[in-house]
Amino acid sequence: MAGTDSKQPLVSRAGPKVVLIKAQMGENIGACARAMANFGLHDMRLVAPRDGWPNESARPMASRADHVLDRVEVFAKTEDALADIQYVYATTARQRDMSKPVFTPHEAAADMQARVAAGEACAILFGGERAGLDNNDVVAANAVIHIPADPTFSSLNLAQAVLLVGYEWFQTLDGVDELIRPGIKSPPAKAAEIAFFFERLEDELTKGGFLHPPEKKPAMVRNVRNIFQRVGLTDQDVRTLQGIISGLIRRRGDKS
Amino acid sequence: MAGTDSKQPLVSRAGPKVVLIKAQMGENIGACARAMANFGLHDMRLVAPRDGWPNESARPMASRADHVLDRVEVFAKTEDALADIQYVYATTARQRDMSKPVFTPHEAAADMQARVAAGEACAILFGGERAGLDNNDVVAANAVIHIPADPTFSSLNLAQAVLLVGYEWFQTLDGVDELIRPGIKSPPAKAAEIAFFFERLEDELTKGGFLHPPEKKPAMVRNVRNIFQRVGLTDQDVRTLQGIISGLIRRRGDKS
């Protein structure tokens, strides 16, 4: 899909279709394609794009998401674009009194994931740059996605709205946590290794006269141990700290 | 803050600072300002912006987030920009083996919200367009924010990264749910109203010969009731449906 990249995409299963209704600028369509590709969405449908399709001003902004642009489907009317769809989400910036479920992007993603997993064909509608979705398009939807933003500055551009909804969709996929934390490279240190480090540290600190006078030593030792325990030491950390002790001892030896 | 808009922002409390390190394009700095304003973030710091500051190519892309641009602070070095900061998050696109906490934007926002509420000064670092943060900047941070994206197409632009982190921050604020669902305009219908509607509907359907033969009537009634019960009817919905019955009866009368 993405050219020469040898990594595997996280999903092969079809995600929701992204339906842009009366999008105006080719650049924005391209930016939407990029945002979709970032989050594993590959199916874009355009309804009555202002400047027709294909539109070569989309490509530079797609930033190599050519695989999304190359399979865009174009429709004259919203109802045609939704003919094979079973559950439709309308993304709106404004409140509409429509008596249908209103989801945040986070809630919508969970709902969508369950539907897609059950084999339902889902689509997410986004309106044009100027006016967003018109009421008829919202009526055609089963649910509304409302992106919460600062009431004094709530205007998101089209690609940003697609990005946020795509981002939430992606978070619901299996394997995302492994992307973020792909196995800890150095495992947490065992208590015995940490105890051994503390004993050596305290022994050397005592030799250096730091843990003095003796009646204050227990409290000082506790303070020192607390500092290092807060770190959540790994095996590698303990080795590094042992090296630091060795280095500092050598320097002390030089001076004496 | 946002000019003539009379709505109240959701936050007055200081949020985290957004620190852009070696940002290149003024346009991208402007787009970051807009993304920040969308999500209630107002404090931007620039470290060594390539084209200096102020940079008038930032303003059109800020799309009226002038209040963010007007209070930008500029620093020569990352350490200067972080001098008064108590907890630093570094946003990275790539894995780094740094043995420090790795958060998703969602997790980072919760952590940040708790720190800000406790009066801690927090900052979020974002690297330049080409290379992201260098390792020294990541070392200077207390934690890493990693945005999960499709491994085959994981490159987010700068403003998109700011948008996603800002979006998650905003979701943690009090009052967000009220923005999305500001009181249901029409309350859910009471069971008695729905029962009255069903009785009338079934009465009219019987007169129309639809609920026939009589031995199948109970199952047919159940099916009809199930359809409408799934809707989650409001007062207004029930009034609309009563109107539909009246309308259909009138038409039937016309024909007979």
Side-chain angles (χ1 to χ4, degrees):
Chain A
M1 308 277 277
T4 58
D5 203 321
S6 64
K7 292 170 189 159
Q8 290 299 307
L10 210 60
V11 261
S12 50
R13 186 165 70 197
K17 320 267 186 219
V18 170
V19 182
L20 307 185
I21 299 179
K22 295 182 184 164
Q24 301 186 321
M25 308 274 291
E27 290 82 353
N28 290 335
I29 297 171
C32 289
R34 177 181 179 175
M36 289 171 60
N38 283 141
F39 295 122
L41 295 172
H42 305 294
D43 299 318
M44 180 189 279
R45 294 180 172 184
L46 299 177
V47 175
R50 187 190 64 187
D51 300 335
W53 192 261
N55 178 340
E56 283 310 310
S57 56
R59 220 156 274 269
M61 287 299 284
S63 193
R64 297 182 299 104
D66 296 312
H67 59 292
V68 175
L69 294 182
D70 290 342
R71 55 193 281 180
V72 161
E73 299 170 286
V74 186
F75 300 85
K77 293 179 182 170
T78 303
E79 65 195 70
D80 300 335
L82 300 181
D84 61 343
I85 301 296
Q86 293 164 292
Y87 202 88
V88 178
Y89 304 83
T91 312
T92 71
R94 295 175 278 126
Q95 291 305 326
R96 322 248 185 158
D97 188 19
M98 288 276 185
S99 294
K100 56 182 75 188
V102 177
F103 293 127
T104 62
H106 187 74
E107 294 162 346
D111 187 77
M112 214 177 291
Q113 183 58 247
R115 292 178 186 280
V116 167
E120 255 181 83
C122 295
I124 316 166
L125 307 186
F126 296 87
E129 292 91 330
R130 286 276 163 233
L133 292 172
D134 71 28
N135 281 337
N136 289 334
D137 293 326
V138 180
V139 167
N142 301 88
V144 165
I145 300 176
H146 188 70
I147 301 174
D150 193 313
T152 64
F153 200 88
S154 62
S155 160
L156 288 164
N157 76 27
L158 179 54
Q160 286 173 322
V162 170
L163 185 85
L164 292 171
V165 174
Y167 162 81
E168 290 286 10
W169 158 257
F170 191 77
Q171 310 311 303
T172 66
L173 301 179
D174 292 338
V176 166
D177 198 66
E178 181 63 14
L179 281 181
I180 297 298
R181 285 171 280 258
I184 298 164
K185 295 281 168 38
S186 180
K190 294 196 178 65
E193 292 164 26
I194 296 176
F196 180 74
F197 159 69
F198 281 139
E199 283 158 23
R200 182 172 172 225
L201 177 64
E202 287 149 19
D203 183 43
E204 294 298 341
L205 289 176
T206 304
K207 286 185 196 160
F210 177 78
L211 295 177
H212 191 85
E215 66 273 20
K216 294 207 171 165
K217 182 170 167 177
M220 293 169 83
V221 163
R222 268 200 308 279
N223 289 343
V224 169
R225 290 192 176 206
N226 274 335
I227 290 170
F228 288 102
Q229 289 290 21
R230 281 208 304 273
V231 176
L233 293 168
T234 66
D235 275 354
Q236 179 58 51
D237 293 332
V238 172
R239 284 194 294 274
T240 302
L241 290 170
Q242 293 281 16
I244 289 172
I245 293 177
S246 302
L248 294 174
I249 293 170
R250 260 201 306 279
R251 178 163 294 267
R252 194 164 69 199
D254 293 344
K255 282 184 178 169
S256 68
Chain B
M1 309 274 280
T4 58
D5 202 321
S6 64
K7 291 170 189 159
Q8 290 300 306
L10 210 62
V11 262
S12 50
R13 187 164 70 197
K17 320 269 186 217
V18 170
V19 182
L20 307 184
I21 298 179
K22 294 181 184 165
Q24 301 186 321
M25 309 275 291
E27 289 82 353
N28 290 335
I29 296 171
C32 289
R34 177 181 179 175
M36 289 171 60
N38 283 142
F39 295 121
L41 294 172
H42 305 295
D43 299 318
M44 179 189 281
R45 293 179 173 185
L46 299 177
V47 174
R50 186 190 64 186
D51 300 335
W53 191 261
N55 177 340
E56 284 310 311
S57 56
R59 219 156 274 268
M61 287 298 286
S63 193
R64 297 182 300 103
D66 296 313
H67 59 293
V68 176
L69 293 181
D70 291 343
R71 56 192 279 181
V72 161
E73 298 170 287
V74 186
F75 299 86
K77 293 180 181 170
T78 305
E79 64 193 71
D80 299 335
L82 300 181
D84 61 342
I85 300 296
Q86 292 163 293
Y87 202 89
V88 178
Y89 303 84
T91 311
T92 71
R94 296 174 277 128
Q95 291 305 325
R96 321 247 185 160
D97 187 20
M98 287 278 185
S99 294
K100 55 181 75 188
V102 177
F103 292 127
T104 62
H106 186 74
E107 295 163 345
D111 188 76
M112 215 177 291
Q113 183 57 246
R115 292 179 187 279
V116 167
E120 254 180 85
C122 295
I124 316 165
L125 307 187
F126 295 87
E129 291 91 331
R130 286 277 163 232
L133 292 173
D134 70 27
N135 281 336
N136 288 334
D137 293 327
V138 179
V139 167
N142 301 88
V144 165
I145 301 176
H146 188 70
I147 301 174
D150 193 314
T152 64
F153 199 88
S154 62
S155 160
L156 290 164
N157 78 25
L158 179 54
Q160 287 172 323
V162 170
L163 184 84
L164 291 171
V165 174
Y167 162 80
E168 290 285 10
W169 159 256
F170 190 77
Q171 310 311 304
T172 67
L173 300 178
D174 292 339
V176 167
D177 198 65
E178 181 62 15
L179 282 181
I180 298 296
R181 285 171 280 259
I184 298 164
K185 296 281 168 36
S186 180
K190 293 195 178 65
E193 293 164 25
I194 296 175
F196 181 74
F197 159 69
F198 282 138
E199 283 158 20
R200 182 171 172 225
L201 176 65
E202 287 148 21
D203 185 43
E204 294 298 339
L205 289 175
T206 304
K207 286 185 198 161
F210 177 79
L211 296 176
H212 192 83
E215 66 272 20
K216 293 206 172 168
K217 182 170 166 177
M220 294 170 83
V221 163
R222 267 200 309 279
N223 288 343
V224 169
R225 290 191 176 208
N226 274 334
I227 290 170
F228 288 102
Q229 289 290 20
R230 282 208 303 275
V231 177
L233 294 168
T234 67
D235 275 353
Q236 180 57 52
D237 292 332
V238 173
R239 284 193 294 275
T240 302
L241 290 169
Q242 292 280 17
I244 289 172
I245 294 176
S246 302
L248 294 174
I249 293 169
R250 259 201 306 279
R251 177 162 295 267
R252 194 166 69 200
D254 292 346
K255 281 185 181 169
S256 69

